[in-house]
Amino acid sequence: MEGKNKILIVLACLVLADAFVWAEIAGFSKSADAEIYFLDVGQGDSELVVFPGGARALIDGGPGRKTASALDSIIPRFDRRADLLILSHPEADHFFGMAEVLKRYEIGAFVWSGLLSENSAFPDFLGELKKRGIKIISVSAGDRIRQGDSVFEVLSPYKTAA
């Protein structure tokens, strides 16, 4: 009987260790601090913010496909989502890379200033967001985006008088 108890204890320890490993893989153990990744996308900008609790915001998308590839190296393959796509301004070196992200990731909402671009590809990009049913949110100076205790404060552009 003593040998069976040792085997049961060893099995219980293995099951418990396995549960901790899978919890870490699944992301149940979230950091209490926000994480910010500055993505190397060439000319232009792209940053990923991972909030405590796991929500993700991608700010800008760079000029090409490098952004999606950079995200692939950070975000687990089984969890291809970004809760927010945030566009600082609609220039090609900030939004082109978002088109590839749309193909690979589930997107919660798109946040932008509402300012239109002179680039002929921008209306197609907005059309793709609408086609996919992604909520589009316009913000301006003074608006805030909250995620738990974290806050993004929008600094510009100012609302124009109509």
Side-chain angles (χ1 to χ4, degrees):
M1 205 61 171
E2 193 174 303
K4 283 187 178 181
N5 285 341
K6 287 182 183 178
I7 291 173
L8 287 175
I9 290 172
V10 169
L11 285 174
C13 288
L14 288 173
V15 167
L16 188 59
D18 188 51
F20 282 117
V21 168
W22 280 107
E24 187 65 31
I25 290 171
F28 296 128
S29 175
K30 300 294 182 189
S31 171
D33 297 320
E35 298 172 6
I36 302 174
Y37 299 87
F38 296 92
L39 307 178
D40 182 7
V41 297
Q43 179 183 343
D45 293 303
S46 188
E47 301 81 27
L48 175 68
V49 178
V50 181
F51 294 97
R56 297 182 189 116
L58 178 67
I59 303 169
D60 293 334
R65 295 181 180 190
K66 286 184 174 183
T67 301
S69 297
L71 287 177
D72 290 349
S73 69
I74 297 168
I75 297 175
R77 181 176 293 275
F78 57 84
D79 189 14
R80 297 288 193 211
R81 68 171 171 74
D83 301 286
L84 294 176
L85 284 183
I86 301 173
L87 182 62
S88 63
H89 58 287
E91 291 182 13
D93 61 342
H94 290 261
F95 80 85
F96 269 15
M98 288 183 168
E100 187 67 23
V101 171
L102 285 176
K103 294 177 187 175
R104 297 191 201 182
Y105 287 82
E106 178 183 329
I107 305 301
F110 175 70
V111 178
W112 70 315
S113 65
L115 298 175
L116 296 176
S117 174
E118 293 179 11
N119 188 296
S120 61
F122 194 69
D124 293 336
F125 173 72
L126 289 177
E128 187 64 25
L129 291 166
K130 290 175 185 173
K131 178 177 142 185
R132 292 176 184 264
I134 296 170
K135 185 175 183 176
I136 299 174
I137 303 167
S138 294
V139 296
S140 60
D143 289 337
R144 294 182 176 177
I145 301 169
R146 293 187 184 277
Q147 172 57 42
D149 291 335
S150 302
V151 178
F152 280 133
E153 186 167 343
V154 179
L155 302 177
S156 88
Y158 289 100
K159 292 179 182 170
T160 56

